[in-house]
Amino acid sequence: MINFKVMPLLSHVLELRKQLITILIVFTVCLTGGLFAAPYLLDYIKSTPPASELEWNTFSPFDGVRMYMNLAFVMAAVVTLPIALYLLWGFVKEGLHPHERSAVLRYIPYSVFFLLLGIAFGYFVLLPISYSFVSDISDKLNLVETYGVMQYFSFIMNVVLPIAAAFELPIVVMFLTRIGLLTPDRLRKSRRYAYLVLVIVSNIISPPDFVSAFIILIPLSALFELSVLLSRSAFRKRAALQAELPAV
C-alpha cells in the first residue's frame, strides 16, 4: 500500500529534481556559449595589466585546453547563477510567507549585481596590488618571472573569488534580517568578533604583508558596516509590515 503521508515529501523531491535538471541544462547551454566566448575573454585578460606585461607560457600540453575550459566554465557559472536562483526561488516559494517571497525574489538581482561588483573590484583593484607585491619580491630576490598560463589563472581565481564572495555579505545579512533570522542588535553585539574574522580573512586572501592585508581589510570592513545599516533598514521594514498584518 502507498503511504499517502509520504506523497507530499515525494512530490517536493521530484520537483527539486526537476529544477536541478533544468539548472544543469541551462548550465550546459551556457557552457557551450562559453566555449565560443572563451578566446575573446582570454584576449581581454591578456590585454589588461598585469597580464599585458607578461609572457604567457604553457608547461604542459594540456595547459591550453585546461585554460580554455576553465574560462568557459567561469562564464557559464556567472550566467547560470541568476537563472538558478530564480528556479530555486520557484521551488521554495510555496513554503514561504508572502513577505518572505517578496524578499527572496527582490534580492536575486541584487545578489548578482554585488557578485559582479566584487569580481570587478577583485580584478581591477585587488589583483594589480597583489601582483605588484609578489613581483617586487621576485625583483628583490633577482628571480626571473616566468609564469605558466594555468598558474596565472589560478592566481586570478585565488584573489578574485574570495573578494567576490565577500561582496555578497550585505545582501545575505539584509535577506536574513528581512525574514527574521537576524537582527541589528545581534550584528552590533558580534561586531568585535566579526572584525576579528575580517582580519583573518584579509590576511588569508592577501599577499603576506601588512599593507596588502590592510588594503583588503578596508573594503571588507566597509561591507560589514554597510551590512549593519542595511540590516537596520530591513528590520524597520519588517516591523512595519508585521504591524500592518491583521492579528490572528
Side-chain angles (χ1 to χ4, degrees):
M1 295 180 63
I2 298 177
N3 185 357
F4 289 97
K5 294 182 179 180
V6 180
M7 291 304 294
L9 176 60
L10 181 60
S11 65
H12 286 308
V13 172
L14 292 176
E15 180 64 22
L16 177 60
R17 176 176 174 269
K18 177 183 176 181
Q19 301 293 354
L20 292 177
I21 292 175
T22 304
I23 293 173
L24 181 60
I25 293 174
V26 171
F27 178 80
T28 303
V29 173
C30 293
L31 182 61
T32 303
L35 292 174
F36 288 99
Y40 300 100
L41 179 60
L42 180 59
D43 289 340
Y44 175 76
I45 293 175
K46 292 172 66 175
S47 66
T48 57
S52 59
E53 304 169 3
L54 303 177
E55 179 181 348
W56 288 38
N57 302 280
T58 58
F59 299 143
S60 166
F62 298 103
D63 279 353
V65 176
R66 284 200 294 265
M67 183 69 179
Y68 189 81
M69 293 302 300
N70 284 338
L71 288 173
F73 183 89
V74 169
M75 286 189 289
V78 172
V79 176
T80 303
L81 177 62
I83 302 174
L85 292 176
Y86 181 78
L87 291 173
L88 292 176
W89 172 82
F91 170 72
V92 303
K93 68 178 182 180
E94 298 301 329
L96 301 175
H97 296 293
H99 69 282
E100 293 173 337
R101 295 180 190 178
S102 175
V104 174
L105 184 60
R106 186 183 301 115
Y107 292 147
I108 288 177
Y110 291 148
S111 65
V112 176
F113 171 75
F114 271 82
L115 176 65
L116 296 177
L117 187 63
I119 292 175
F121 179 83
Y123 185 80
F124 292 107
V125 178
L126 185 57
L127 181 64
I129 294 174
S130 301
Y131 174 79
S132 177
F133 171 79
V134 297
S135 181
D136 288 343
I137 294 297
S138 298
D139 289 340
K140 291 178 181 178
L141 296 177
N142 295 319
L143 301 177
V144 178
E145 294 179 292
T146 304
Y147 298 114
V149 62
M150 284 308 302
Q151 285 74 14
Y152 184 76
F153 183 78
S154 298
F155 177 66
I156 293 177
M157 291 297 100
N158 290 336
V159 172
V160 173
L161 289 185
I163 198 68
F167 266 68
E168 293 293 301
L169 179 62
I171 302 301
V172 173
V173 168
M174 194 172 181
F175 171 71
L176 293 178
T177 304
R178 191 66 185 271
I179 65 175
L181 296 181
L182 193 63
T183 65
D185 287 337
R186 291 178 184 174
L187 281 175
R188 285 195 295 269
K189 292 178 181 178
S190 63
R191 180 178 269 112
R192 66 179 67 179
Y193 304 106
Y195 273 97
L196 176 60
V197 172
L198 293 179
V199 170
I200 295 174
V201 171
S202 64
N203 279 274
I204 291 176
I205 67 176
S206 68
D209 70 300
F210 172 77
V211 176
S212 297
F214 181 73
I215 292 174
I216 297 174
L217 181 62
I218 293 175
L220 292 181
S221 302
L223 287 170
F224 177 77
E225 295 300 330
L226 176 62
S227 301
V228 175
L229 293 176
L230 293 177
S231 178
R232 293 173 184 171
S233 175
F235 186 78
R236 287 195 296 267
K237 291 181 179 179
R238 184 173 185 272
L241 181 61
Q242 289 180 334
E244 295 175 359
L245 294 176
V248 180

